[in-house]
Amino acid sequence: MSLDPARPAAGSGDGGPAPGAGAPTAGIVATGSELLAGRVRDANGPWIAERLGELGIDVTQILLVGDRPDQMASALRFLAASGVDLVVTSGGLGPTADDLTAAVVADMTGRPLELDEHMEKVVGDIIAKFADRLRWDADALAEANRKQALVPRGATAIRPAGTAPGLAVPPGDGFAPTVLVLPGPPREVRAMWDDALASGPVRAVLERTAPFAETHLRLFGVPESDIAATLRTVGEHTDLGPLEITTCLRDFTLEVDLRRRPDDAAALAAHDAVVAEIDARHGRAVFSRTGETIDEIVFRLLQGRTIATAESCTGGLLAGRLTAPAGASGHVQGGIVSYSNEAKEHLLGVGHDLLEAHGAVSPEAVHAMAGGALERFGVDVAVAISGVAGPGGGTAEKPVGYVCFSVRTADGREITRDPVLPGERGDVRERSVVLAMHLVRRLLTEG
């Protein structure tokens, strides 16, 4: 993107400018030529933006720059000229020659780098644990240790989660924002976050914030165009300007996030009007009002129950998703991938005559597959999926994307569906898993 501070940034909200004029704002700079080349996805920028938003700091820009000091300096100047109160950088803190973030920030803030002897020892102790085993060169080790312990004068060093300390740098002459400098690995950023917030320079910014009031609606089966039409209807009689509205389609779920300052009466009125209209038009599709994911909801609903899967076209993806959270062993008993007709017959007890009459991709087949899983695993809930994922194998009656689902309970309740799902093979398989999760939720909550 252009680094011309005269150009306004494109916003992600659909309901007007960010709320809370005068509240602290922030910009984020993710450093790494691998990010620009597309070899690595920036996981830090969105995560940091979400954490700052929870604290009441509105993020106005996320910039990606390469491993060159002039690019980093240009990004810092751009954000300073845009008037942000806080700049958070990630990356460029390692021991190699292209790790220059600390030096650039020191130069921009007019704070010369000085050796922090305590941090030199901290980093040295960390590196020493690996040195002998990895046979690192002693001279190079000492130089790297010293480089990572250089801190801009007046800044606060943040204890590393890896080998690179973070930095909290107060504003300098001619450079107004506070700068929080963090390493590149996402694991280290998350581990150091609380200490970073506790540093003096960052606390000074946080003292001026008030957390946003947020509502996180999650809808399944509603396209973004429908929500856009709903918001337009609300906007005809309600000023949505004080309310920040963000919509996003992720994991085949429509996320509608509403954010406002808690003391803004106009924003509260807009919020209530939007929620009321969404409930009136799409209430049945709303499955979460707190941002809780479908995985979290299903995990909660399965407490005290057991579940098993019988999968064909999804090849175990549903079982993998159900077992991803820690503690899944409390309710997941197992799963069977019955890709062939023979496997459906021998492993799940699906009748040969049934398969001959209706086919492996049919409501009748998945009903029998779910019944087989209930019986063989002795569970409370069983889920069966069989479909035509493509790209070949479709017919006029059962085109590519035709997928059959059956969710059954031991007490005799059942939901069976056979939609045609859009997309290529991978899309059909992934959407099938999401739809199966929602069918489990619906059966366990609505009967």
Side-chain angles (χ1 to χ4, degrees):
M1 69 172 290
S2 168
L3 296 182
D4 179 2
R7 295 183 59 186
S12 60
D14 296 311
T25 59
I28 299 170
V29 183
T31 307
S33 297
E34 67 280 3
L35 300 177
L36 292 177
R39 295 192 301 273
V40 176
R41 179 179 61 87
D42 173 31
N44 289 330
W47 186 88
I48 293 169
E50 189 172 4
R51 301 289 80 74
L52 291 177
E54 293 169 351
L55 298 169
I57 297 178
D58 194 47
V59 174
T60 63
Q61 307 278 349
I62 298 179
L63 307 179
L64 301 181
V65 300
D67 294 312
R68 292 178 51 185
D70 59 325
Q71 295 176 359
M72 170 60 79
S74 180
L76 293 175
R77 283 193 295 269
F78 169 76
L79 291 174
S82 71
V84 299
D85 303 275
L86 175 68
V87 175
V88 184
T89 73
S90 68
L93 283 182
T96 60
D98 61 350
D99 292 317
L100 298 170
T101 300
V104 173
V105 171
D107 183 64
M108 293 294 296
T109 57
R111 297 176 176 276
L113 289 171
E114 298 177 337
L115 181 66
D116 184 324
E117 294 182 355
H118 171 70
M119 192 53 63
E120 183 181 29
K121 184 178 186 308
V122 169
V123 175
D125 290 345
I126 294 172
I127 294 177
K129 295 178 182 179
F130 307 100
D132 290 341
R133 178 164 55 88
L134 299 177
R135 297 182 180 179
W136 287 346
D137 178 81
D139 292 337
L141 183 64
E143 184 62 28
N145 186 9
R146 181 179 178 85
K147 179 179 185 293
Q148 294 187 117
L150 293 174
V151 175
R153 180 180 296 166
T156 300
I158 302 166
R159 184 178 180 86
T163 63
L167 301 169
V169 187
D173 291 339
F175 192 85
T178 296
V179 184
L180 175 60
V181 181
L182 296 172
R187 179 192 65 82
E188 296 180 23
V189 171
R190 289 154 174 71
M192 296 166 63
W193 185 248
D194 288 343
D195 287 343
L197 297 183
S199 64
V202 177
R203 280 205 318 270
V205 177
L206 294 177
E207 287 171 358
R208 299 160 44 204
T209 68
F212 294 102
E214 298 183 326
T215 299
H216 304 285
L217 303 177
R218 300 293 179 261
L219 299 86
F220 182 71
V222 177
E224 284 187 282
S225 57
D226 283 9
I227 286 295
T230 299
L231 295 176
R232 285 195 297 270
T233 298
V234 178
E236 291 174 358
H237 55 76
T238 302
D239 180 13
L240 298 181
L243 180 68
E244 184 177 338
I245 307 172
T246 304
T247 63
C248 174
L249 186 62
R250 178 164 45 192
D251 195 24
F252 315 113
T253 296
L254 184 59
E255 303 179 356
V256 181
D257 295 316
L258 311 175
R259 191 168 73 166
R260 59 184 174 83
R261 292 293 176 183
D263 55 352
D264 189 329
L268 176 59
H271 166 276
D272 291 348
V274 169
V275 173
E277 191 68 22
I278 288 177
D279 281 340
R281 294 188 176 209
H282 317 290
R284 184 170 171 80
V286 177
F287 67 88
S288 173
R289 298 176 184 274
T290 62
E292 195 176 22
T293 66
I294 184 59
D295 301 72
E296 292 167 337
I297 291 172
V298 169
F299 187 96
R300 172 168 49 79
L301 290 172
L302 286 171
Q303 298 309 302
R305 298 181 171 100
T306 54
I307 191 170
T309 61
E311 301 180 67
S312 183
C313 65
T314 49
L317 292 176
L318 176 59
R321 184 134 175 186
L322 288 170
T323 57
S329 59
H331 50 257
V332 179
Q333 292 297 298
I336 294 175
V337 177
S338 54
Y339 212 68
S340 68
N341 283 6
E342 292 76 13
K344 292 177 178 66
E345 292 180 36
H346 298 306
L347 299 178
L348 292 168
V350 180
H352 179 79
D353 291 343
L354 183 152
L355 292 172
E356 285 291 318
H358 301 286
V361 181
S362 64
E364 293 80 4
V366 290
H367 172 84
M369 289 167 64
L374 280 173
E375 178 184 343
R376 280 153 176 73
F377 287 100
V379 291
D380 301 303
V381 185
V383 189
I385 307 173
S386 183
V388 184
T395 66
E397 290 185 354
K398 298 179 181 180
V400 170
Y402 178 67
V403 184
C404 299
F405 302 83
S406 177
V407 183
R408 296 178 62 180
T409 62
D411 60 8
R413 291 175 292 145
E414 178 179 9
I415 296 179
T416 301
R417 297 288 185 271
D418 62 340
V420 176
L421 302 177
E424 298 179 351
R425 180 178 178 84
D427 299 321
V428 170
R429 282 157 52 91
E430 291 175 11
R431 286 179 171 139
S432 296
V433 171
V434 175
L435 178 53
M437 298 282 282
H438 279 279
L439 292 177
V440 172
R441 170 189 62 83
R442 183 166 292 178
L443 187 62
L444 296 182
T445 55
E446 302 176 10

